[in-house]
Amino acid sequence: MTAPTANWSYPTAIRFGAGRIKELAEACAAAGIARPLLVTDKGLANLPITKNALDIFDAAGLGRAIFSDVDPNPTDNNLDAGVAAFKAGRHDGVIAFGGGSALDLGKLVAFMAGQTRPVWDFEDIGDWWTRADADAIFPSVAVPTTAGTGSEVGRAGVVTNSRTHVKKIIFHPKIMPSVVICDPELTVGMPKAITVGTGMDAFAHCLEAYCSPFYHPMSQGIALEGMRLVKENLPRVFADGGDIEARAHMMSAAAMGATAFQKGLGAVHALSHPVGALYNTHHGTTNAVVIPPVLRFNRPAIEDRLAAAAAYLGIAGGFDGFYDFVLGLRAKLGVPDKLRDLGVGDDRIDELAAMAIEDPSAGGNPVKLTLDSAKTLLEECI
Ligand SMILES: NC(=O)c1ccc[n+]([C@@H]2O[C@H](COP(=O)([O-])OP(=O)(O)OC[C@H]3O[C@@H](n4cnc5c(N)ncnc54)[C@H](O)[C@@H]3O)[C@@H](O)[C@H]2O)c1
Ligand SMILES: [Fe+2]
């Protein structure tokens, strides 16, 4: 099979295929954007793929405005600066270009530029999103350059509170980008560790969505096929970063993970969010480290379900086979075994555990995550 090309309208308009970044100006037109601000992060700002994107919309008469003051695990300071740049340039929409950090921040700039309340008022709690002035939300076009978070098809953005160091999920249905360009060629230049970390994030989204106890068979099906795509293709892109067909399948798996986790996430993300917020570790890599202890913890509730997943993925041995597969995949990809290897010490476990049980993902874990169990899990992970 050669690398796939397709147009999808689910869960938003997606132009999928190698080389389709050349459709960026058309994507802006389809989203109703005439004066875009490209939002990306500091690392991507000077890369050729970013210059090429600017050249494309410049050539179409859309200017070449860029805001790149975005950190990994972006903060409210990045958001405020982005909104200021958006207003100063009198832009009418955002091109969110990059990994989850830049995509989330770009989406939130488009969301917040027209709001009067502080961003924390729109945290993903109950119906808080109805507080927003929906008519004042600007459109966005999302262009992922990693294959992991799936933020390009998400109705939320993650932002770290620079004062409390807590990661908050900001939600509104209209944060969903109007148009997405999924061009796997953009992911070829990712450093190997980011290829692995982001790929494992996609896997964690599918796995946690699949295991969460809520009733959502649609998500269940998407999550299962997403796991299969990661199993078949993450080792391929690890071995050969230029394998465009495998890069394309990883890009699908990333979008599928984010689509599936409308069903819920779980303890992997509940533990990983505070670790990322306090130690600034890479999100997907952190997930990859904590998956095995969480699988052991959840075993009583997910044993049968994971046996069914193992059968679909062609793994023998039910739950144990699946568990061994995860350990083998991590080892093959060079994922560190412990959070200690990512610079996490054991001196803040109480604080991390308290944050983990408050994390919105905790509620989707199949076994109730208590303060004591979170501490024990963190001890095992570190
Ligand atoms: N919105 C969501 O639903 C959702 C889901 C999961 C994670 N997240 C958030 O996403 C963030 C993580 O995103 P990520 O894992 O994509 O990493 P990232 O966006 O932080 O990028 C990691 C690094 O890779 C670099 N990079 C990205 N693409 C590249 C490319 N093609 N070539 C070379 N370098 C490249 C970036 O400059 C950066 O230094 C976290 O803040 C996390 O909380 C959001
Ligand atoms: Fe994630």
Side-chain angles (χ1 to χ4, degrees):
M1 187 184 166
T2 49
T5 295
N7 293 328
W8 297 321
S9 58
Y10 169 77
T12 186
I14 302 177
R15 297 166 182 238
F16 189 99
R20 296 195 70 177
I21 187 64
K22 65 176 183 293
E23 297 172 29
L24 187 56
E26 294 157 46
C28 285
I33 302 173
R35 294 185 304 282
L37 175 66
L38 185 138
V39 176
T40 192
D41 70 34
K42 290 170 182 149
L44 279 156
N46 296 312
L47 294 186
I49 50 172
T50 312
K51 181 181 176 297
N52 181 48
L54 289 169
D55 288 348
I56 290 167
F57 69 88
D58 194 0
L62 301 176
R64 53 184 310 124
I66 176 170
F67 172 78
S68 62
D69 192 10
V70 178
D71 297 304
N73 301 313
T75 66
D76 47 346
N77 295 331
N78 298 145
L79 179 57
D80 292 346
V83 168
F86 186 92
K87 288 180 178 168
R90 303 178 65 81
H91 297 287
D92 63 353
V94 165
I95 298 171
F97 186 92
S101 299
L103 294 176
D104 279 1
L105 201 88
K107 286 157 57 183
L108 290 178
V109 166
F111 173 59
M112 286 302 294
Q115 305 301 320
T116 51
R117 302 175 69 137
V119 67
W120 314 121
D121 284 3
F122 307 115
E123 194 184 340
D124 189 8
I125 297 175
D127 65 355
W128 284 19
W129 62 271
T130 58
R131 297 167 165 178
D133 178 355
D135 296 331
I137 301 172
F138 290 91
S140 62
V141 169
V143 185
T145 66
T146 64
T149 70
S151 174
E152 64 275 14
V153 293
R155 300 172 300 166
V158 184
V159 64
T160 302
N161 186 316
S162 56
R163 200 173 45 79
T164 61
H165 301 287
V166 177
K167 271 194 167 191
K168 294 285 185 188
I169 298 175
I170 308 302
F171 171 86
H172 192 286
K174 283 181 75 178
I175 289 180
M176 173 72 88
S178 306
V179 183
V180 180
I181 295 181
C182 281
D183 181 344
E185 286 180 356
L186 301 179
T187 65
V188 165
M190 267 192 281
K192 209 158 203 159
I194 300 294
T195 292
V196 169
T198 52
M200 289 304 289
D201 191 24
F203 186 75
H205 294 158
C206 293
L207 174 63
E208 292 214 283
Y210 179 77
C211 292
S212 91
F214 307 117
Y215 179 73
H216 201 324
M218 277 190 264
S219 284
Q220 199 89 352
I222 291 170
L224 199 52
E225 175 64 1
M227 282 193 275
R228 191 190 68 81
L229 286 174
V230 174
K231 173 176 177 274
E232 303 301 323
N233 294 288
L234 189 49
R236 277 176 64 182
V237 296
F238 181 74
D240 173 9
D243 182 339
I244 292 294
E245 186 194 327
R247 289 279 190 195
H249 293 316
M250 284 306 300
M251 213 159 216
S252 291
M256 291 164 79
T259 306
F261 76 56
Q262 290 190 19
K263 177 167 177 262
L265 287 169
V268 171
H269 275 79
L271 296 170
S272 153
H273 285 150
V275 169
L278 294 190
Y279 293 91
N280 214 13
T281 54
H282 179 255
H283 170 73
T285 311
T286 314
N287 290 342
V289 175
V290 307
I291 288 174
V294 170
L295 283 178
R296 292 197 299 269
F297 175 68
N298 286 338
R299 179 173 188 150
I302 61 173
E303 192 153 5
D304 292 346
R305 196 172 275 200
L306 274 194
Y312 180 72
L313 298 182
I315 298 166
F319 177 93
D320 290 318
F322 188 92
Y323 182 81
D324 290 343
F325 152 71
V326 171
L327 291 186
L329 179 67
R330 288 195 337 162
K332 197 185 317 183
L333 302 173
V335 172
D337 190 39
K338 299 288 178 200
L339 290 178
R340 188 173 296 284
D341 303 320
L342 302 180
V344 179
D346 55 12
D347 51 328
R348 295 177 85 175
I349 286 185
D350 290 350
E351 194 180 347
L352 288 169
M355 289 164 82
I357 58 168
E358 292 299 322
D359 189 272
S361 303
N365 199 59
V367 175
K368 188 170 166 47
L369 190 66
T370 62
L371 191 59
D372 281 343
S373 52
K375 280 185 198 167
T376 308
L377 275 170
L378 283 160
E379 280 161 13
E380 288 175 36
C381 293
I382 294 170

